[in-house]
Amino acid sequence: MKRPVPSSFKQNRLPLAITLILHASLLGGLLYFGKSDPLIPPKPLQAILVTPEQLQQMQDSAASATPLPSDEAPATEPVAEPVDDPIAEPEPTVEPEPAVEPEPTGPTSEQLAALKAAELKAVADQKKQQQEAQQKARAEAQKKEAEEKAAKQKEMQEKTAEAKKQQQELAAQKAAEAKQQQAKAEAERKAEQAKADTQAKRQAELEAKRKAIQDAKLKATEEKADMKHKAEEEAKAKAAEDAKRKQQDAKQQEKQKAAEAKKRQVEDAKRQAEAEQKRKAEQDAKVKAAEEKKRQIAEDAKRKTEADRKAKADAEKAKADAEKQRAQDAQAKANADAKRKADVEAKAKADSDAKKKAASDAKAKADADAKRKAADAKAKADSEAKAKAAEDAKRKADEGKAKAAEDAKRKAEEEARNKAADEAKAKADAKAEAKKVAAVSTAGFQNRMKSAWRKPAGCDGNSAKARISLTPSGQVASVVLTKSSGNDDCDASIRAAIEQAAPYDMPDDPEARKLAQRLEPTFK
């Protein structure tokens, strides 16, 4: 399994490459300068004071002398290799000292020989010194070079160790990050695996449960199919019995409702009769009270008339007595003065006539007023009694009508509720019965389909689910495989079995037939 590259390594790839290139260049430069030869130090210059003659002799002797071959050179003298040093150190310059003026006397042969020997010795010494200086410089250079090389090597080793340490730390960090990422990935993988295992387990449990339910349904369907005729006969008998029982129940309920309605009508009639009797009694009482009031008014009028008549009789009697007394007085006085008596009698007669006339007019007026008042009182009493009786009759009629309307409304509502409840119950019973009949029919359809199904090779272990629509006559309208078995031959055999098993025996009940037109069997 390929290990995933950490994201931190991808981000630090360019800086790491640059660092490695710089380290490689540095190591190459150090190795190059460490293997190259050291620089040759400049030769020291020595000044010798000679005269011009001595210089000429030395030049002549040097020209005449035979040069030494290259192979006779000391073995210890190394041959300096040219070094391409970009920075060349300048040779030290020695200023010549002022020459001492020689003496005018020329040297002797011994002096010349000694001078030549001294010159040769000086040359030999100079060469020896040069060789020693070269050996010493070479040794110092080698030592310095070794020290520098050791220092550079140490520095390189330190840098290499530091780089190695950084690389190790980086590698450790990357390893830790990679380990952390790997642990995280492993944890996520384990979580996903656990989730997948849990889901697979749940799916397996659901599949097992579904399979058990399907097996149970299939077994129940098979058992139902085996008992199809018996179930149909029992269903038909039960349906007939239920219908008969429902008819009996309906008749009983109708009888009971009719008895209750009749009883309510009798009670309502009784209540109405009682109310009518009570109303009539109240009306009779009111009429009787009105007649009693009328009789009392008549008696009061009669008593008043009698009192008026008696008062009039008393007045007339008093008047007669007064007249008699006046007549007696007039008769007694008539003897005294006839003329005055005649005048008094004439005047009294005139007064008596006037009083009689006034009394007669007053009596006629009183009689007329009493009759008119009695007629008015009677008319008013009759009008009030009639208005009250009409009002009571209207109120009682309104109350009776309202009560009758309320009773009729309550009765209609109760009948409507009972009718709705009966209809709902009948519909629910019919729907339940239709579902039951449709379930029996669809189970029979599925058994016929599975009996007609011929499984092709390679169909074992596969399952398919179909959604079938039938016509009211039992023909196949449409077949849709909602779940394919994964095998085209198996799917084609399922379709062929469904078509071959048609036409199907549809239930007689319209609702059951409608429910049986849709089914979703499973083929295994």
Side-chain angles (χ1 to χ4, degrees), residues 48-60 99-105 107 112 115:
I48 302 174
L49 297 177
V50 292
T51 61
E53 292 80 9
Q54 292 175 348
L55 180 60
Q56 186 65 34
Q57 291 177 0
M58 290 172 65
Q59 289 177 353
D60 293 337
V100 180
E101 188 70 28
E103 294 179 359
T105 59
L112 291 172
L115 182 60

Side-chain angles (χ1 to χ4, degrees), residues 439-473:
V440 174
S441 298
T442 53
F445 298 165
Q446 293 179 15
N447 290 332
R448 288 184 61 180
M449 294 173 191
K450 291 178 181 178
S451 298
W453 185 30
R454 299 293 180 265
K455 291 185 180 180
C459 195
D460 293 335
N462 298 333
S463 64
K465 191 173 183 180
R467 183 170 63 244
I468 305 169
S469 297
L470 302 177
T471 62
S473 61

Side-chain angles (χ1 to χ4, degrees), residues 319-332 348 352 355:
K319 187 178 179 183
D321 292 338
E323 288 178 357
K324 189 178 180 180
Q325 184 68 31
R326 281 195 302 271
Q328 289 176 2
D329 293 337
Q331 187 70 27
S352 176
K355 286 180 181 180

Side-chain angles (χ1 to χ4, degrees), residues 233-275:
E233 291 177 359
E234 289 179 356
K236 288 180 181 178
K238 189 175 180 180
E241 185 179 353
D242 291 340
K244 188 175 180 181
R245 189 180 67 252
K246 286 179 182 178
Q247 289 178 358
Q248 291 177 356
D249 293 340
K251 288 181 180 179
Q252 187 68 25
Q253 288 179 359
E254 288 178 358
K255 288 180 180 179
Q256 187 176 358
K257 287 179 181 177
E260 289 178 356
K262 189 175 181 180
K263 186 178 179 181
R264 282 196 299 270
Q265 288 178 358
V266 172
E267 290 177 354
D268 293 339
K270 188 176 179 181
R271 283 195 299 270
Q272 289 179 1
E274 290 177 354

Side-chain angles (χ1 to χ4, degrees), residues 4 22 61 69-70 108 114 131 143 169 188 195 208 210 274 293 312 323 344 384 389 439 471:
L22 290 175
S61 61
S70 59
T108 61
Q131 290 177 357
K143 184 178 179 181
E169 290 178 355
E188 291 178 355
K195 187 176 180 181
R210 185 184 62 78
E274 290 177 354
K293 188 175 182 181
K312 188 178 179 183
E323 288 178 357
V344 170
E384 289 177 356
T471 62

Side-chain angles (χ1 to χ4, degrees), residues 302-360:
K302 188 177 180 181
R303 281 194 299 270
K304 189 175 182 182
T305 304
E306 186 68 22
D308 292 339
R309 187 183 59 78
K310 190 176 182 181
K312 188 178 179 183
D314 293 338
E316 289 178 355
K317 186 178 180 182
K319 187 178 179 183
D321 292 338
E323 288 178 357
K324 189 178 180 180
Q325 184 68 31
R326 281 195 302 271
Q328 289 176 2
D329 293 337
Q331 187 70 27
K333 287 171 94 177
N335 297 322
D337 195 354
K339 191 177 182 180
R340 185 175 56 85
K341 184 178 179 183
D343 294 336
V344 170
E345 286 179 359
K347 189 177 180 180
K349 189 177 180 181
D351 293 335
S352 176
D353 293 337
K355 286 180 181 180
K356 285 180 180 181
K357 189 176 181 181
S360 177

Side-chain angles (χ1 to χ4, degrees), residues 206-226:
L206 290 174
E207 186 66 24
K209 188 175 180 181
R210 185 184 62 78
K211 190 174 181 182
I213 292 171
Q214 287 181 353
D215 293 339
K217 286 183 178 179
L218 182 60
K219 188 176 179 181
T221 305
E222 290 176 355
E223 290 177 356
K224 287 181 180 179
D226 294 337

